[in-house]
């Protein structure tokens, strides 16, 4: 219980910092203004997620120069189950700010799309699902998990429409499910041991 309270305290600090990001005044533009507004919103999906038992959608939108905010919402129980001996159903939610670290926002063809580039992404991930053993069909367990992650990655926006996002990261997490040794996938991240969390993935989407 003490460890979970400490984790929630970290979450509270993280959440309290989000409004300050949205309240920032707009910085001076780093590129020359153009007559056509570049797409600064995107919907994305993880094309490989059905192979590990879930499906979801991400929405990313620009909040300031070199900063965007991304929310992921997903359903657990779609496609091939991650574990063959268990049936899991539920959902997951994650959110966090993305900070672009590119120094140059101009290319030979003109301004770079504001969603494109190398980035760091501190984020929160939560999942809640029921787990039912295939052999013991009458046994059902409700599982809750969460993690604080620091991801890094690169995002491309081709033709200002097609989005490719590749990322990886690590952090700290917890789960009410402890029947694992080497690790378990909690939909959005994996726990190795009790609290070490890792995350990696590929997203495809459309900018608008």
């Amino acid at each position: 219980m003490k460890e979970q309270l400490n984790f929630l305290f970290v979450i509270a600090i993280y959440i309290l910092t989000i409004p300050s990001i949205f309240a920032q005044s707009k910085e001076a533009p780093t590129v020359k203004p153009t007559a056509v507004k570049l797409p600064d919103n995107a919907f994305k999906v993880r094309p490989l997620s059905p192979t590990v038992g879930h499906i979801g959608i991400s929405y990313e939108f620009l909040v300031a120069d070199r900063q965007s905010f991304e929310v992921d919402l997903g359903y657990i129980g779609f496609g091939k189950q991650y574990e063959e001996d268990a049936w899991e159903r539920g959902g997951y939610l994650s959110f966090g700010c993305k900070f672009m670290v590119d120094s140059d926002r101009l290319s030979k063809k003109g301004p770079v799309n504001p969603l494109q580039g190398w980035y760091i992404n501190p984020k929160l991930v939560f999942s809640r699902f029921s787990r039912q053993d295939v052999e013991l069909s009458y046994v059902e367990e409700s599982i809750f998990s969460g993690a604080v992650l620091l991801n890094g990655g690169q995002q491309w926006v081709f033709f200002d429409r097609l989005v490719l996002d590749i990322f990886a990261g690590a952090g700290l997490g917890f789960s009410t499910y402890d029947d694992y040794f080497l690790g378990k996938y909690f939909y959005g991240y994996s726990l190795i041991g009790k609290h070490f969390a890792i995350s990696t993935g590929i997203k495809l989407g459309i900018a608008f």
Side-chain angles (χ1 to χ4, degrees):
M1 176 61 71
K2 182 179 179 181
E3 292 176 346
Q4 293 186 4
L5 289 175
N6 290 337
F7 183 81
L8 292 176
F9 176 73
V10 173
I11 291 176
I13 294 176
Y14 182 94
I15 293 175
L16 288 174
T17 62
I18 293 177
S20 64
I21 296 174
F22 286 93
Q24 290 180 4
S25 60
K26 292 186 177 180
E27 300 177 5
T30 56
V31 298
K32 295 180 180 180
T34 59
V36 179
K37 180 179 179 294
L38 296 175
D40 56 8
N41 295 261
F43 280 116
K44 295 177 285 184
V45 297
R46 296 190 183 194
L48 301 179
S49 62
T51 64
V52 287
H54 67 96
I55 189 172
I57 189 169
S58 303
Y59 174 52
E60 181 180 357
F61 58 96
L62 196 70
V63 296
D65 184 39
R66 301 173 186 267
Q67 297 178 23
S68 63
F69 193 79
E70 186 172 50
V71 180
D72 295 81
L73 185 65
Y75 169 71
I76 298 170
F78 181 88
K80 182 180 179 180
Q81 289 292 302
Y82 177 69
E83 296 182 56
E84 295 182 355
D85 61 346
W87 199 255
E88 297 179 340
R89 289 286 185 274
Y92 64 88
L93 169 70
S94 70
F95 55 90
C97 287
K98 295 173 75 171
F99 302 91
M100 296 296 176
V101 296
D102 298 69
S103 59
D104 189 0
R105 305 303 296 168
L106 281 172
S107 69
K108 294 181 179 179
K109 297 182 180 180
V112 175
N113 187 282
L115 299 179
Q116 177 168 303
W118 291 94
Y119 64 83
I120 56 174
N121 174 211
K123 68 186 304 183
L124 299 176
V125 187
F126 301 98
S127 64
R128 189 176 187 88
F129 55 93
S130 61
R131 176 184 172 86
Q132 194 169 26
D133 192 288
V134 172
E135 296 181 357
L136 304 174
S137 59
Y138 58 87
V139 177
E140 185 171 319
E141 182 180 3
S142 180
I143 298 171
F144 176 72
S145 68
V148 177
L149 300 171
L150 180 61
N151 289 338
Q154 186 171 14
Q155 184 162 268
W156 295 267
V157 183
F158 301 104
F159 313 110
D160 284 322
R161 281 293 178 264
L162 304 178
V163 181
L164 171 61
D165 185 4
I166 301 177
F167 63 90
L172 297 175
F174 75 90
S175 173
T176 58
Y177 179 72
D178 57 5
D179 188 19
Y180 61 92
F181 177 66
L182 293 177
K184 174 168 173 55
Y185 185 55
F186 286 99
Y187 305 98
Y189 73 98
S190 297
L191 278 181
I192 299 178
K194 293 296 182 181
H195 300 294
F196 181 64
I198 59 173
S199 173
T200 184
I202 298 174
K203 295 180 181 181
L204 299 175
I206 298 292
F208 60 96

